[in-house]
Amino acid sequence: MNLLLENKINKALKEIFKRLDLDEKYAFVKVSDRADLSDFQCNGALALAKIAHKNPREIGAAIADELERCDFCESISVDGPGFINIKLKNEVIAQNADEMAKDERLGCGLTDNPHKVVLDYGGPNVAKTMHVGHLRSGVIGESVARIERFVGNEVISDVHLGDWGTPMGMILSEIERQDGNLDKVPSYDIAQITEFYKQANIRCKEDESAREAARLVTAKLQGGDEQYRKAWQHLRSESLKAIKENYKELDVNFDLWWGESDAHTACQDVVKIAKEKGVSEKDNGAEIIRLEESNKPKPPVIIVKSDGAFGYQLTDIATIKMRVEDLGAQEIVYFTDSRQTLHFEQIFEAVQKLGIAPNVKLQHIVFGTVNGADGKPFKTRDGGVMDLETLIVMSKDKVRQSLPKAGEVAGYGEAEIEKLTSQIAIAAIKFQDLKNTINSGYVFELEDFAKFEGKTGPYIQYAIARINSVLRKADAAGLKCGKIILQAPEERALALKLAQVHNVVMRAHSEKEPSIIAEYTHGLAQIFSTFYNACPVMTAETPQLAASRLQLAKLTRDVLKLMLFLLGIEAPEVMLKAENKE
Ligand code: ARG
C-alpha cells in the first residue's frame, strides 16, 4: 500500500497534462517550500513554457483551471513566474492519516525492484582498537541495512574483518622477536595483542629488516604454515570477541562475520582466472592487472606480491566473486572513508575485466571524517585517536547526569538505569552521526549531543516517551483513538507531515542516505510538539476531538518509532527525565 497524497495529485495532473497536450514528464508536485501558501507545488509550467516559448503563467493558469475541478483541492493559485500552488482539503489529509493508522507499514510502500544486496560495513581490523572511523561505517551501514530490508530487499550484511594482510605478519613476527617463539600466544588477551601490534608498527616504521621479517611471516601464514596459522587463529578469535562486544553495545549487527582470510581459496581462483584470461601480467616478480587510464591514471592492481602473498586488493576482488557466486548478490555496497576511493575504483575495474560479477551493481559510499572542535579528526584529550569505547563511556557519563540515580524511581534499580543510560547514550552518538549527510564530515558536539533538546537522538526518544505517557493516561481514562478530524492548523500541519513518510523512506533508500530520515524525524517531533502545546488531548473540547487527537498522537509515535528503528536507534517506553519534567 502506498498512501501518498502526492500520488493522488500526480495522477490527476497526468490526466490534465494529457488533455492539454502537455508533456507528462512534468506532471508532478513536490512538497511546497512555502507552507504558508500551499501544501504542494508543481513547477512544470516553467519548464514547459521554456520549451514551447510561451508564457509560463498562461500555461500555469490553464492547468490550474483544470485542477479546480478536482474534488480534493481546497485552493489553487498560480504565483510568481508560474508556480502552481495547491492546497488540499482537510478531509483528504485526514482520510489519508486514518488509512495510515490502519496500515501496519504506516503507509510506506515497497521497492518495485526487490533484489539481493550485500552490505559491507564495519570493516574492523584484528588487533587494532576500533576508533571513530569504524563508528561511522558501522552506524551508517546498520541504518542502510534496516532501510533496505524495510523496502523489501533481501539484505546480507558482512563485517569483512581485516584479518589477512601484512599487519598479521607484523604482530606474529613481533611476538616471535620478543618471546623467541609463539608458545605464549594462546595466553594473550586483546590488550596484550593490541600492544604487540603497536610495537610492531613502531618497529616496522623504523626498521627495514623488521618489515622484511613481517612480510615473510605473512607469506608463510597465507601459505598454510601450521604454527603461524594456529597462533593467528588465537589473535583473530580474541579480537573478534572484543569487536563483537563493541558492536553489540552499538546495536550494529551483521549476518556474516566473514573476514579477508575467508576469501583465501577464492583468491587462488581469481589469480587462476586472471592468468587464463590474460587479464594479468608479471611485473618485477609480482602478478598485476593493468587498468585503463581513460579518466585519470590508475596504478595497477597487484594481485600477487613478489613474495607470493595476497594483498588487500586481491582479497576484495575474491570476496566479490564469493558474494556473487555463493550468496547471489545483485548489488554490493561498501561504506568507508575517502582514503579508500582509489582502492574501490581499482578493484571495481579489475572485477569488470575479470568478468566475475556480470550485471552486479558495485557501489562505494564514502563518508566524511568525525572532527573535533578544531575541525581536525576527533582526538582524545591527550591527542590520541578517539577509540570507540572511550566515546561510548563518555556519552554514557554525560547521559547519567540527566537521569535519576538507581533506586530513586520505583522499579528502576541499577540494571534498569544502566540499560536506559545505554539506550540514550547510543541514540545520542548515532543520531549525531546520522543527521549529517554521509558525504560530509561533522564536528562531534561534545556539549550538546546528548541533550534532551535540539537536534539530538534523546530529543526524539523524549518525544516518543511523552506520547507514550499520553497514551497511558488515555488508556487509564478509557479514551480510545477515533476518526481524525482536522480543525486547528496545528492538527493539519501534523497530519500533512505524517503523510510524507513513504516518500522520505523511499528517498533515503534510493540515495542510501539515512540523514533524510533523521532530518524528517526531527521535523516531525518538532511539529508534534507544536501540535501538543496547542491541542490538548485529554481536555479537548469534544470527545470526538479527543479521540482524533489521540489517533494523531499514536500515529506520530508509531512513525517516530519506525524512523528511529530505521536509524538503528531504540525507543525506550519512558525516559524518566521526561516523566519528571511533565
Ligand atoms: N578493514 C578496512 C580498514 O580498516 C576496511 C574494510 C572495508 N571493506 C572492504 N571490503 N574493503 O580500512
Side-chain angles (χ1 to χ4, degrees):
M1 172 153 45
N2 169 7
L3 303 164
L4 205 58
L5 289 173
E6 280 103 312
N7 284 356
K8 219 182 178 65
I9 310 173
N10 291 347
K11 215 169 129 214
L13 273 179
K14 276 213 160 60
E15 276 164 26
I16 293 172
F17 275 48
K18 205 188 276 173
R19 264 204 306 280
L20 297 177
D21 206 18
L22 300 169
D23 189 345
E24 286 172 47
K25 192 163 90 192
Y26 301 102
F28 66 90
V29 288
K30 62 180 194 88
V31 173
S32 172
D33 298 328
R34 292 282 308 270
D36 53 332
L37 282 180
S38 61
D39 303 329
F40 297 96
Q41 77 190 62
C42 169
N43 299 341
L46 297 159
L48 288 165
K50 216 178 215 164
I51 301 163
H53 302 291
K54 280 195 180 154
N55 181 350
R57 284 193 65 97
E58 247 168 59
I59 299 184
I63 298 168
D65 259 2
E66 294 275 332
L67 266 174
E68 293 282 0
R69 274 180 246 157
C70 295
D71 57 356
F72 53 80
C73 291
E74 173 72 35
S75 66
I76 298 142
S77 60
V78 181
D79 300 295
F83 304 121
I84 305 164
N85 276 308
I86 302 162
K87 215 169 169 135
L88 294 177
K89 282 189 178 146
N90 284 9
E91 309 90 82
V92 176
I93 304 170
Q95 192 198 352
N96 183 75
D98 276 331
E99 281 172 32
M100 279 180 76
K102 270 188 241 142
D103 178 21
E104 59 173 24
R105 290 181 59 85
L106 305 173
C108 294
L110 294 161
T111 168
D112 359 308
N113 167 34
H115 62 284
K116 201 180 246 185
V117 193
V118 170
L119 298 178
D120 180 311
Y121 55 86
N125 300 314
V126 164
K128 273 201 214 171
T129 315
M130 276 165 60
H131 56 78
V132 286
H134 294 111
L135 168 80
R136 286 220 79 183
S137 177
V139 168
I140 295 167
E142 173 73 22
S143 175
V144 171
R146 290 181 185 212
I147 296 167
E148 289 306 298
R149 257 184 216 117
F150 182 65
V151 302
N153 281 329
E154 190 180 335
V155 174
I156 300 177
S157 56
D158 183 12
V159 73
H160 202 71
L161 189 66
D163 64 354
W164 206 228
T166 322
M168 299 302 106
M170 281 164 64
I171 307 174
L172 291 170
S173 110
E174 182 64 26
I175 296 177
E176 267 187 326
R177 184 187 306 262
Q178 293 191 24
D179 291 359
N181 53 46
L182 297 171
D183 295 353
K184 283 204 272 181
V185 169
S187 70
Y188 290 143
D189 64 15
I190 184 64
Q192 289 163 307
I193 295 167
T194 312
E195 195 48 42
F196 276 119
Y197 183 55
K198 273 192 198 146
Q199 290 166 11
N201 242 327
I202 298 169
R203 199 183 305 281
C204 286
K205 265 204 190 102
E206 295 162 352
D207 181 356
E208 168 58 32
S209 75
R211 283 200 292 276
E212 188 48 39
R215 264 198 296 273
L216 214 72
V217 176
T218 311
K220 279 195 185 159
L221 167 71
Q222 294 188 353
D225 181 292
E226 246 175 64
Q227 238 205 330
Y228 286 124
R229 282 275 170 111
K230 221 176 114 211
W232 165 82
Q233 264 306 340
H234 177 76
L235 308 181
R236 188 186 192 279
S237 70
E238 281 301 298
S239 267
L240 199 54
K241 255 200 285 185
I243 288 167
K244 282 190 171 172
E245 257 167 51
N246 264 320
Y247 281 132
K248 191 166 167 227
E249 174 109 56
L250 277 173
D251 202 357
V252 168
N253 307 285
F254 298 94
D255 299 308
L256 299 175
W257 291 88
W258 286 1
E260 292 169 6
S261 63
D262 290 299
H264 191 69
T265 313
C267 282
Q268 293 166 333
D269 297 346
V270 169
V271 175
K272 208 165 139 229
I273 295 171
K275 286 183 181 163
E276 277 168 12
K277 287 199 171 174
V279 172
S280 66
E281 60 191 79
K282 272 255 172 298
D283 186 69
N284 279 329
E287 190 75 23
I288 65 164
I289 300 178
R290 284 195 199 283
L291 304 174
E292 307 295 326
E293 298 199 351
S294 47
N295 300 325
K296 61 176 179 189
K298 259 181 256 148
V301 171
I302 301 167
I303 52 171
V304 188
K305 296 182 186 172
S306 51
D307 58 14
F310 297 157
Y312 185 48
Q313 295 181 317
L314 180 62
T315 51
D316 255 328
I317 296 171
T319 304
I320 291 179
K321 183 172 180 289
M322 291 167 76
R323 287 172 178 168
V324 173
E325 287 174 10
D326 306 345
L327 303 176
Q330 293 163 294
E331 182 180 1
I332 307 176
V333 192
Y334 299 83
F335 300 85
T336 80
D337 68 23
S338 62
R339 284 172 300 182
Q340 303 207 27
T341 303
L342 178 64
H343 166 75
F344 285 107
E345 281 172 7
Q346 285 178 296
I347 65 156
F348 291 171
E349 193 179 323
V351 161
Q352 205 181 3
K353 287 195 145 192
L354 288 159
I356 54 178
N359 305 319
V360 177
K361 187 174 169 200
L362 302 172
Q363 195 183 0
H364 176 216
I365 293 187
V366 175
F367 52 76
T369 50
V370 185
N371 300 322
D374 56 1
K376 302 215 177 84
F378 199 31
K379 298 252 180 346
T380 53
R381 245 167 242 227
D382 52 21
V385 179
M386 175 66 79
D387 68 66
L388 208 59
E389 238 166 81
T390 314
L391 186 79
I392 295 174
V393 168
M394 231 173 56
S395 180
K396 281 188 182 172
D397 286 346
K398 199 114 218 139
V399 169
R400 235 175 249 117
Q401 292 167 10
S402 321
L403 290 181
K405 307 255 167 316
E408 277 178 17
V409 176
Y412 279 83
E414 191 103 29
E416 289 77 12
I417 293 283
E418 254 333 280
K419 178 163 182 222
L420 190 58
T421 306
S422 172
Q423 285 175 316
I424 301 174
I426 299 302
I429 295 178
K430 285 186 161 186
F431 197 85
Q432 151 136 288
D433 193 297
L434 294 171
K435 73 179 180 185
N436 302 284
T437 51
I438 293 182
N439 213 271
S440 62
Y442 66 92
V443 172
F444 200 96
E445 293 289 349
L446 270 172
E447 282 315 309
D448 296 336
F449 80 109
K451 287 213 167 119
F452 286 58
E453 307 93 40
K455 214 176 196 176
T456 67
Y459 171 72
I460 316 289
Q461 289 179 316
Y462 173 49
I464 292 172
R466 267 178 92 188
I467 305 178
N468 285 338
S469 147
V470 175
L471 296 177
R472 284 196 302 272
K473 274 183 208 147
D475 190 45
L479 177 64
K480 298 245 173 324
C481 291
K483 198 170 148 33
I484 291 173
I485 311 160
L486 302 178
Q487 285 179 349
E490 293 85 0
E491 291 168 321
R492 189 181 192 280
L494 178 61
L496 204 52
K497 185 79 180 172
L498 286 165
Q500 288 175 17
V501 65
H502 161 81
N503 220 346
V504 164
V505 173
M506 281 307 173
R507 267 177 46 227
H509 146 67
S510 63
E511 294 176 31
K512 303 240 167 30
E513 184 63 83
S515 67
I516 295 172
I517 290 182
E519 187 64 37
Y520 170 73
T521 309
H522 179 247
L524 177 59
Q526 278 183 318
I527 289 181
F528 178 79
S529 176
T530 310
F531 154 83
Y532 192 56
N533 288 337
C535 308
V537 176
M538 302 305 288
T539 53
E541 293 89 319
T542 63
Q544 287 82 359
L545 211 48
S548 155
R549 287 176 182 172
L550 189 66
Q551 180 71 283
L552 274 174
K554 182 172 179 297
L555 180 58
T556 306
R557 194 269 316 257
D558 292 345
V559 170
L560 287 175
K561 262 180 106 164
L562 173 64
M563 296 300 101
L564 279 196
F565 172 78
L566 294 179
L567 295 175
I569 296 174
E570 288 187 45
E573 172 71 20
V574 295
M575 294 280 279
L576 297 187
K577 157 111 179 159
E579 261 40 39
N580 294 344
K581 259 188 149 181
E582 262 179 351

